[in-house]
C-alpha cells in the first residue's frame, strides 16, 4: 500500500523542525489521500515517537544493529529497504545535515526524484511540485518531480505543525541488520553549544554600532539574539571602540554574513558595513535618524532611540516565544 | 689695518715647511685610484640594470640640475638641513676651488694667488667657509647625538664621516695658524680663524715646536684628505657624485605617471620574474637611485604610514634594497623582495602610493614605484598579498569593480536625472566618467549627482558610459596586479575609442590620473579633466554662478592623485572659495598634502586601530575649526568621513565634495 | 561544555605491508566544477527569463561556483600533503573552459571538458550521469570531490547522485580530509558541530567551505600559461559510446528527473516599512511581530 513517509532523526527530539516535517507530511498525505507514516531513525526516541503518533497514521522506530543514531551507508540502506517495502509515494525529510546527505541517494535507490529546501509543496496533475528559493534568494522556482517516489527535504521550520488527532497511531519498532563492513564510518562527533557557531552560518544576527555609545548595551543585544536563536555582531566603529571583540566585525574588512534576519541597532549603514550583509535575506534596523543609510536596505525598521526600544522589544519577544 | 696690509704682493709660500712633497702626488694618485675603483664598481653595477630612457630632453634636465643639484631647492626646505647641508656643501666647494687655485699657481705657474684675490678669496672667504664646515658638522653631531630624530639613521658610518670632516677642518686651521705664527705672515689677519689659532699658539709654543707640529699635522691632514677622497664612493658620501647624476636623470613627467609598464607576454615566455624579484629586474636608474640616497630621512618623515606608527619607512626600504643589491649574491636565492618582506612582512602593504616620499626627496629618488615593483612580484608571482586586497582584485576580475558586496549598480546614482548614455547621445561633447567609487559607494552617488546636475545647469552636453564603464584599473595597478590592470585598460580604451570619446570629466582623481597618464600607453589619448577643473572653468566662463555661499568655514583636503601627482591645487580651492564664506587651510597642504589613507589599494585594507592614516588627517582637519571638510575624491570621502565621525565628538562636521558645495550654493538659486 | 563523543574506534585490520603499499599509490582525484552566473550580481540587476526558466545573464560574468573552488582548494591542499593527481572536470557549454583554465592556473594536473550542447540547465540526475560516465572513462579514480551545492540553483544533489551512479559511498559537507593508515579521515560540518569520518576509497565527497579552504589566488604567470595547457574535450556521444548509462537524447533535452515549471522574482518591498502605531508600545509590538514572522520562516 502506498503512503507518505516522513523521516525524523531521534537525536533532536520533537523540535520545531520535526514538527514542520510532520505537519508538511500530514497535509501532503491528506492531499494525496494517503496515510502518513513517520519514521524515527535512531533509538531512544520515546517521547518523540509518542508526539509523532498523535499526528501520523503509523510510527516506526528504525534502528540498525550496532549503529547508535546514524551511519550514512547503514542508515541509507535501512531506509531504502523500509521505503521500498512500504511503497512510499513521497518521502519527506528535514533540512539537517544527515537528511540532506541521504535524500538524493535515497531517491536514486528508489528510482524516484529528489528536490531540496522546499518551502511549499503542491500536487499538480498527480505530480509533486516543490517551491524553493534559488539564485541566493533572488528568485523563487517551482520544480516538478518527474519520477516516483518524490523525495523532498524541506525548510522544516517554515512549515506549520499539524494538530493532534484523537486516536494516536500505533508505534512499531524495526531493527535492521547492518550491511557488511561499511566503507565510511563516523568515528567522532562534537556538538558546539549554540552561540559559538560561526557568524557566517548564523540565521539571525543582532548587530550593534557606534550609536550604542558603550559596551553595556551589547549585553542587551546578546539577550535579544539569544531569544531569537541568533548571534551578535557589530560595526567596525563599535569594535574599534573596544565595546566588543574584533571578531564581531561585519563588513568589507570583517565577516561576510548571510543570515535570514539582520537586525542593525544604531548602525548608520556605511557602504563598508553593507558590503558584509549583502547576502542577508531580511535587514531591519533600529536607528533614531530617519535618514540613516541603513534604512535604504531594510524591509522594516523603527525610527527611535534604541534605549527606548530594546527593553520593550525584549519583553515582547520573550512573551511571544512562550506562546 | 686691512687697508694697510692690502698689498699687491700679498701671497703665501706654498708648501712652506714641507719637503718630499712628491709624496703628495703619490697619495693623490692612490686615493684617486681607490675612489675610481669604487666608482667604477658602482657604474658597472648600474650598467647591469634594465634599460630606462632617462637621457632624453637635455634642456629640462639641465634646468633640474641647476635648481636641485646646484640650487638645492629641496634640500633647503628643511630648517636644520638647510644650515647643516649648505654649510658643508658650500664649504667643500669653496675649499675645493681654493685647492685648485693653489695648484694652478704653484704647479702650473699661473700667478693668481696674489694680491687682493689672495686676500679676499684665498684667505678670508676660504677661512670663513672652513669655519662653516666646522659649524655644519657640529649641527649634524648635535642633531644625531642629542635630538636623535627618528628619521635619521645614527650609524657608525655617519659618525665616522662627520668625525673625519671635523678633523680635516680643524687640522686645517691648526696648520694655517702655525704657518701664520711661524712665518709671521703679514697678511695673517686676513684669515681670521687661522690668525686666532696663531695668536693662541704663540702664547704656548715656540716657533720651533710649531714648525715641528706643523710638519707632522700637515702629513696627517693630507692623509685625512686623500683618505676622504678615496672613501667617498664607499659610503653615503657617494651621493656627492650620484646626486647630481640622479637629478639630471630624474623623471620629468608628473609623478602620476611614474609607474612603468611591463611586457608581461615576454616575461611569461622567458620565465623572467614579473615585477622585481632580484636585483636583475631593477633598471639602471633604480640602481642609481639606491646609490644616490643621502639617508636624510625626509621621505620617511612625510610618509603617512610611518607618521601613524606603521613599520613602512621608505628610507629604510631604499637602504635595505641598496645593501641587498650590493651583497655578492644580490639576495639570491630568496630574492631581494622576499628578503625585504621577510624582515617586515606588512610594510609593503602599508603604502598608499601617495607620492609624498618622492616629493620630499632632495635627490629625486623614486621610492613609490619601487614599492609597486616589489608588490608586482609578490602579487603576480607569489599571490602573496593581504586577503582583503585579494577580494578587491577578485571582484575586479569578475565584476570590473573592486567593491565586493556592493548592492548598487552603475546607474543607480542617476535615478530620476535625465542623464543619457553615450549610445543615446552620440553628439555629446563631454563624457562624464563616473568611476566605481562614484557609482557604487552610496555616499559618493550624491557627488556624481551634484556634478551631473551642475554640468546640466551649465548647459554642457554630456553623456555617460553606463554599464559599459569598468574600473580604470588604478587599484589593480597600485596593488601590483599589472596583468589585471592591462586587461581593464585595454577594455576601457577599446570602449572609449569605439564611442570616439575626446573629452572626459571625472570626479575621481584616480580615474583622472589613469585616464590621463596611463591610457595613452594603450592607445587611448583623451583630454581629461577632474570635475573641479571643469567646473572651475564653467564658473570662470560665467556658465555657473554661486548664488548663496555657504555660511560655514570650509577646509580643503588635497587628494594625492589630483594635487601632488598632477599639480592641480587651485581649481578645487576656487570652487570652495566661491561656494563658501570662509576658507581655512590645513598645515599640510598642496604639494605637502597628507594622504587620506585610501590610495594604493589601502581603502580595501583594515588598518589597525590607532594606526589609521585617515584619523591623523581628520585630526588635522578638525584642528582648523572647519565645519565642512571639502574633498575631491570618492576615496577621500570614505576615509575622511570615517575619520571625522570617529573623532569629531559632539562637533557637527560634514565631509562634502567640492561639487556638492558648489551645487548647494548654486542650487539654492535654481 | 563541549564533549567530543567517541562513537567507536575500529581496529585496523589491514596488514602493515598492505598499508605501506597503499601509501605509495597516488590518490587519483577528480574535482567537478560548475560554472554559474556571478552570485554577487545586485538584486536590482537581477532578471529572470520565465520562458527559458533561467536567470538572464545581462552584463554579469560567469564564475566557477564557490563550493567547487573550495573543493579544488581542498584537493590541492591534500595533494600538497599526501601527493596525488587532480583532474578538473566540467560539463558545460563552450564557455565552461574558463573555469577549467582557472583550475589549471590554480595547478590542477589535467582538465576535462564534457561539452554540453543541449539544454542549458540539465537536471541533477542528467548532470550526475554525465559526470559519472566521465569519471569512469578516466578510470582508476579514488576520490571524486564536488561542491556541496551550487550558488545558482543550490540543488545540492550532484555528489549524492554521482555516488549512486558510480555505486560508491559518499560523505557530504566535508571541509578537511587527510590520508591515514587505512583510507581517509574526513572532517565534516554538521548542524551542531562536526563529525570525523573514516572512509575507504573510492569515494565521493561533497565539500563545504571553512576558513581553511578559501580558494587560492592563482599566480599571474600560471594564469597566462594555463591558456596554453591542453584540455581534453569529450562530447556526449564520446561518453555514450562506451557507457550504456548515457542517453544522449534525454540529456540534451534536460533529463527526466525533474523540470522547472516556474521561475519568478518575488515582489519585494523595496522601501523600508517603518512600523506604525500611536504609542511607542504599539510600534515596538509591530516590530516584534515582524521580527518573529521572519524568524519563524527560517
Ligand atoms: C578601509 C575601511 C574599511 C572599513 N571596513 C569596515 C567594515 O568591515 N565594517 C564596518 O562596519 N565598517 C567598516 N568601515 C567603517 C565605516 O566606514 C563606518 O565608519 C562604520 O561602519 C561606522 O559604524 P557605525 O555605523 O556603527 O557608526 P556611525 O557612523 O557613527 O553611526 C552611528 C549610528 O547610530 C545612530 N544612533 C546614534 N545614537 C542612537 C540612539 N540612541 N538610538 C538609535 N540610533 C542611534 C546614528 O543615527 C548613526 O546612524 C571601514 C572603513 C574604512 C575606511
Ligand atoms: S608613497 Fe606615500 S605611503 Fe608610500 S612610501 Fe611614499 S610617502 Fe609612504
Ligand atoms: S630616499 Fe631620498 S628622501 Fe629618503 S632618505 Fe634617501 S635621499 Fe633622503
Amino acid at each position: 500500500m502506498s503512503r507518505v513517509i516522513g523521516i525524523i532523526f531521534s537525536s533532536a527530539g520533537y523540535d520545531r523542525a520535526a514538527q514542520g516535517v510532520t505537519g508538511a507530511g500530514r497535509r501532503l498525505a491528506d492531499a494525496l489521500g494517503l496515510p502518513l507514516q513517520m519514521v524515527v531513525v535512531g533509538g531512544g526516541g520515546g517521547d518523540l515517537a509518542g508526539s509523532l503518533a498523535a499526528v501520523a497514521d503509523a510510527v516506526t522506530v528504525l534502528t540498525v544493529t550496532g549503529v547508535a543514531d546514524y551511519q550514512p551507508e547503514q542508515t541509507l540502506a535501512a531506509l531504502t529497504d523500509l521505503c521500498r517495502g512500504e511503497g512510499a509515494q513521497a518521502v519527506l525529510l528535514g533540512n539537517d545535515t544527515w537528511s540532506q546527505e541521504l535524500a538524493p541517494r535515497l531517491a536514486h535507490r528508489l528510482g524516484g526524484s529528489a528536490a531540496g529546501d522546499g518551502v511549499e509543496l503542491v500536487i499538480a496533475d498527480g505530480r509533486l511540485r516543490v517551491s524553493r528559493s534559488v539564485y541566493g534568494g533572488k528568485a523563487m522556482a517551482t520544480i516538478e518531480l518527474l519520477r516516483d517516489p518524490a523525495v523532498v527535504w524541506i525548510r522544516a521550520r517554515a512549515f506549520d505543525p499539524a494538530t493532534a488527532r484523537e486516536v494516536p497511531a500505533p508505534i512499531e519498532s524495526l531493527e535492521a541488520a547492518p550491511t557488511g563492513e561499511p566503507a565510511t564510518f563516523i568515528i567522532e562527533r562534537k556538538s558546539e553549544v549554540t552561540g559559538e557557531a560561526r557568524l557566517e552560518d548564523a540565521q539571525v544576527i543582532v548587530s550593534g554600532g557606534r550609536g550604542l555609545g558603550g559596551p553595556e548595551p551589547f549585553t542587551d543585544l546578546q539577550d535579544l539574539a539569544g531569544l531569537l536563536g541568533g548571534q551578535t555582531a557589530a560595526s567596525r566603529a563599535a569594535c574599534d571602540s573596544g565595546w566588543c571583540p574584533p571578531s564581531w566585525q561585519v563588513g568589507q574588512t570583517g565577516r561576510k554574513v548571510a543570515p535570514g534576519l539582520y537586525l542593525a541597532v544604531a548602525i548608520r549603514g556605511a557602504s563598508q558595513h553593507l558590503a558584509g550583509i549583502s547576502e542577508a535575506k531580511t535587514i531591519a534596523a533600529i536607528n533614531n535618524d530617519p535618514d540613516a543609510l541603513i534604512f535604504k536596505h531594510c524591509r522594516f525598521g523603527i525610527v527611535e532611540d534604541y534605549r527606548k526600544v530594546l527593553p520593550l522589544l525584549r519583553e515582547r519577544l520573550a512573551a511571544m516565544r512562550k506562546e | 689695518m686691512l687697508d694697510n696690509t692690502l698689498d699687491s704682493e700679498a701671497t703665501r709660500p706654498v708648501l712652506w715647511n714641507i719637503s718630499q712633497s712628491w709624496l703628495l702626488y703619490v697619495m693623490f694618485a692612490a686615493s684617486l685610484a681607490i675612489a675610481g675603483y669604487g666608482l667604477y664598481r658602482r657604474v658597472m653595477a648600474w650598467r647591469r640594470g634594465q634599460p630606462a630612457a632617462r637621457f632624453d630632453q637635455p634642456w629640462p634636465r639641465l634646468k633640474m640640475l641647476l635648481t636641485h643639484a646646484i640650487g638645492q631647492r629641496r634640500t633647503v626646505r628643511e630648517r636644520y638641513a638647510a644650515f647643516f647641508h649648505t654649510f658643508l656643501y658650500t664649504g667643500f666647494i669653496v675649499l675645493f676651488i681654493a685647492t685648485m687655485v693653489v695648484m694652478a699657481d704653484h704647479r702650473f705657474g699661473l700667478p693668481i694667488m696674489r694680491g687682493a684675490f689672495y686676500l679676499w678669496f684665498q684667505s678670508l672667504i676660504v677661512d670663513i667657509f672652513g669655519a662653516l664646515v666646522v659649524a655644519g658638522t657640529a649641527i649634524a653631531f648635535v642633531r644625531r647625538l642629542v635630538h636623535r630624530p627618528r628619521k635619521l639613521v645614527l650609524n657608525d658610518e655617519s659618525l665616522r664621516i662627520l668625525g673625519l670632516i671635523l678633523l680635516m677642518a680643524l687640522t686645517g686651521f691648526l696648520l694655517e695658524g702655525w704657518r701664520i705664527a711661524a712665518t709671521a705672515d703679514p697678511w695673517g689677519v686676513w684669515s681670521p680663524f687661522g690668525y686666532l689659532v696663531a695668536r693662541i699658539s704663540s702664547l704656548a709654543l715656540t716657533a720651533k715646536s710649531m714648525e715641528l707640529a706643523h710638519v707632522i699635522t700637515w702629513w696627517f691632514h693630507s692623509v685625512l684628505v686623500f683618505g676622504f677622497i678615496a672613501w667617498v664612493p664607499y659610503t653615503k658620501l657617494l651621493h656627492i657624485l650620484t646626486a647630481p647624476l640622479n637629478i639630471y636623470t630624474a623623471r620629468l613627467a608628473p609623478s602620476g605617471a611614474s609607474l612603468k609598464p611591463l611586457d608581461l607576454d615576454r616575461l611569461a615566455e622567458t620565465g623572467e620574474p614579473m615585477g622585481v624579484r632580484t636585483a636583475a629586474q631593477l633598471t639602471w636608474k633604480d640602481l642609481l637611485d639606491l646609490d644616490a640616497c643621502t639617508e636624510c630621512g625626509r621621505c620617511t618623515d612625510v610618509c603617512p604610514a610611518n607618521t601613524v606608527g606603521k613599520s613602512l619607512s621608505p628610507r629604510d626600504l631604499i637602504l635595505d634594497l641598496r645593501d641587498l643589491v650590493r651583497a655578492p649574491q644580490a639576495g639570491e636565492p630568496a630574492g631581494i623582495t622576499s628578503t625585504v618582506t621577510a624582515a617586515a612582512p606588512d610594510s609593503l602593504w602599508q603604502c598608499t602610493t601617495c607620492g609624498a616620499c618622492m616629493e620630499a626627496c632632495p635627490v629625486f629618488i623614486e621610492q613609490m614605484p619601487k614599492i609597486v615593483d616589489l608588490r608586482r612580484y609578490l602579487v603576480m608571482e607569489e599571490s602573496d598579498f593581504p586577503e582583503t586586497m585579494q577580494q578587491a582584485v577578485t571582484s575586479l576580475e569578475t565584476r570590473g569593480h573592486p567593491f565586493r558586496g556592493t548592492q548598487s549598480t552603475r546607474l543607480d546614482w542617476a535615478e530620476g536625472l535625465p542623464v543619457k548614455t553615450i549610445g543615446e547621445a552620440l553628439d555629446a561633447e563631454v563624457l562624464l566618467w563616473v568611476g566605481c567609487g562614484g557609482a557604487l559607494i552610496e555616499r559618493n552617488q550624491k557627488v556624481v549627482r551634484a556634478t551631473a546636475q551642475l554640468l546640466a545647469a551649465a548647459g554642457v552636453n554630456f553623456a555617460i558610459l553606463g554599464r559599459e564603464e569598468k574600473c580604470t584599473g588604478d587599484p589593480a595597478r597600485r596593488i601590483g596586479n599589472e596583468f589585471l590592470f592591462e586587461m581593464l585598460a585595454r577594455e576601457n580604451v577599446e570602449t572609449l575609442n569605439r564611442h570616439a570619446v575626446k573629452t572626459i570629466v571625472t570626479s575621481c582623481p584616480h580615474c583622472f590620473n589613469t585616464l590621463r597618464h596611463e591610457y595613452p600607453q594603450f592607445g587611448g589619448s583623451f583630454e581629461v579633466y577632474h570635475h573641479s577643473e571643469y567646473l572651475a572653468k564653467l564658473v570662470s566662463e560665467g556658465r555657473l554662478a554661486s548664488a548663496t555661499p555657504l555660511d560655514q568655514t570650509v577646509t580643503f583636503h588635497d587628494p594625492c592623485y589630483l594635487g601632488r601627482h598632477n599639480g592641480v591645487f587651485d581649481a578645487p580651492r576656487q570652487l570652495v572659495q566661491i561656494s563658501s564664506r570662509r576658507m581655512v587651510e590645513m598645515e599640510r597642504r598642496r604639494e605637502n598634502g597628507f594622504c587620506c589613507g585610501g590610495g594604493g589599494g589601502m581603502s580595501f585594507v583594515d588598518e589597525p586601530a590607532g594606526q589609521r592614516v585617515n584619523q591623523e588627517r581628520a585630526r588635522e582637519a578638525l584642528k582648523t575649526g572647519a565645519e565642512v571638510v571639502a574633498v575631491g575624491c570618492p576615496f577621500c570621502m570614505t576615509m575622511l568621513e570615517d575619520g571625522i565621525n570617529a573623532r569629531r565628538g559632539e562637533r557637527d562636521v560634514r565631509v562634502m565634495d567640492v561639487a556638492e558645495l558648489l551645487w548647494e550654493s548654486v542650487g539654492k538659486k535654481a | 561544555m563541549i564533549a567530543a563523543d567517541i562513537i567507536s574506534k575500529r581496529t585496523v585490520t589491514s596488514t602493515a605491508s598492505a598499508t605501506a603499499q597503499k601509501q605509495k599509490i597516488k590518490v587519483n582525484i577528480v574535482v567537478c566544477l560548475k560554472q554559474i552566473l556571478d552570485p554577487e550580481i545586485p538584486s536590482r540587476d537581477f532578471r529572470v527569463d520565465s520562458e527559458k526558466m533561467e536567470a538572464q545573464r545581462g552584463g554579469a560574468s560567469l564564475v566557477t561556483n564557490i563550493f567547487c573552488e573550495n573543493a579544488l582548494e581542498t584537493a590541492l591542499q591534500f595533494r600538497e600533503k599526501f601527493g596525488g593527481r587532480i583532474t578538473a572536470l566540467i560539463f558545460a557549454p563552450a564557455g565552461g573552459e574558463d573555469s577549467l583554465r582557472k583550475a589549471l592556473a590554480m595547478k590542477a594536473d589535467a582538465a576535462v571538458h564534457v561539452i554540453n550542447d543541449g539544454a542549458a540547465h540539465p537536471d541533477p540526475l542528467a548532470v550526475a550521469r554525465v559526470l559519472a560516465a566521465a569519471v569512469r572513462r578516466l578510470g582508476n579514480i579514488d576520490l571524486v570531490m564536488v561542491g556541496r551545492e551550487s550558488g545558482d540553483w543550490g540543488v545540492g544533489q550532484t555528489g549524492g547522485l554521482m555516488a549512486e551512479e558510480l555505486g560508491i559511498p559518499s560523505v557530504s559537507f566535508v571541509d578537511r580530509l587527510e590520508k591515514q593508515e587505512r583510507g581517509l579521515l574526513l572532517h565534516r560540518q554538521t548542524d551542531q558541530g562536526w563529525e570525523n569520518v573514516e572512509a575507504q576509497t573510492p569515494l565521493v565527497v561533497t565539500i563545504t567551505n571553512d576558513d581553511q579552504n578559501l580558494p587560492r589566488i592563482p599566480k599571474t604567470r600560471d594564469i597566462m600559461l594555463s591558456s596554453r595547457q591542453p584540455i581534453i574535450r569529450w562530447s556526449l556521444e564520446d561518453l555514450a559510446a562506451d557507457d550504456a548509462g548515457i542517453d544522449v537524447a534525454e540529456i540534451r533535452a534536460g533529463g527526466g528527473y525533474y523540470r522547472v515549471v516556474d521561475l519568478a522574482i518575488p515582489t519585494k518591498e523595496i522601501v523600508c516599512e517603518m512600523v506604525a502605531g500611536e504609542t511607542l508600545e504599539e510600534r515596538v509590538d509591530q516590530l516584534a511581530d515582524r521580527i518573529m514572522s521572519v524568524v519563524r520562516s527560517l
Side-chain angles (χ1 to χ4, degrees), chain B residues 265 267 269 271-272 274 380-381 383 390 398-399 404-405 407-409 412 467 483, chain C residues 38 40-45 61-63 214 217-221 223-225 228:
Chain B
D265 286 324
L267 298 176
E269 200 66 51
E272 285 167 70
M274 301 174 178
M380 293 195 286
E381 296 279 10
S383 291
Q390 292 180 8
T398 44
R399 294 175 267 281
R404 198 184 152 201
Q407 279 303 299
S408 300
T409 71
D412 286 352
R467 288 178 199 281
F483 178 65
Chain C
D38 178 8
E40 289 191 23
I41 141 174
S43 304
R44 267 176 281 188
D45 266 356
S61 17
L62 298 176
V63 299
L214 279 176
I217 304 261
K219 300 173 180 172
T220 300
R221 172 177 306 280
I223 294 175
M224 295 181 76
L225 293 180
R228 298 192 217 145

Side-chain angles (χ1 to χ4, degrees), chain C residues 149-226:
Chain C
E149 64 186 59
S150 63
D152 53 357
W153 283 82
V155 173
Q157 299 196 38
T158 311
L161 293 177
M162 273 183 87
E164 292 304 314
E165 285 292 322
L166 291 165
I168 58 178
S170 81
V171 179
S172 298
F173 309 114
V174 173
D175 56 9
R176 262 167 266 168
L177 63 158
E178 280 179 21
K179 205 159 143 184
Q180 54 178 21
E181 261 180 75
R182 194 171 176 277
L184 301 171
L185 179 65
L186 315 175
H187 180 277
R188 65 115 153 235
Q189 296 175 12
T190 63
D191 305 314
Q192 273 86 39
W194 51 260
E195 289 171 351
N196 276 339
V197 187
E198 277 186 351
Q200 304 303 310
T201 54
L203 177 75
V204 175
V205 293
T206 82
I207 299 287
T208 191
N209 64 307
D210 79 344
D211 50 3
Q212 310 281 316
N213 64 8
L214 279 176
R216 65 194 57 192
I217 304 261
K219 300 173 180 172
T220 300
R221 172 177 306 280
D222 294 332
I223 294 175
M224 295 181 76
L225 293 180
S226 73

Side-chain angles (χ1 to χ4, degrees), chain A residues 173-209:
Chain A
S173 290
L174 187 68
E175 181 163 343
T179 57
E181 190 180 316
T184 67
F185 201 84
I186 302 173
I187 54 166
E188 198 178 350
R189 176 173 305 144
K190 185 167 132 177
S191 304
E192 279 164 350
V193 180
T194 39
E196 283 191 11
R198 301 181 331 141
L199 212 47
E200 282 83 348
D201 300 330
Q203 275 301 317
V204 175
I205 293 178
V206 181
S207 190

Side-chain angles (χ1 to χ4, degrees), chain A residues 208-213 234-238 240 249-255 265-274 276 286-290 292-294 304-307, chain B residues 602-607 612 614 638-639 641-643 645-646 648:
Chain A
R210 178 153 45 208
L212 290 180
S235 75
R236 189 178 81 169
D240 283 351
Q249 180 179 324
V250 164
Q252 181 190 304
T253 47
R255 314 283 201 96
V265 185
I267 290 178
R268 175 165 53 100
S271 60
Q272 292 81 23
H273 187 77
L274 295 172
I286 304 173
N287 199 303
N288 60 2
D289 174 7
L293 275 171
I294 186 84
E304 190 59 74
D305 190 329
Y306 82 89
R307 279 169 285 221
Chain B
M602 286 304 292
S603 59
F604 306 105
V605 174
D606 211 359
E607 306 165 73
R612 294 208 181 124
N614 63 343
T638 304
M639 299 310 284
E641 239 189 9
D642 179 64
N645 279 346
R648 72 185 159 87

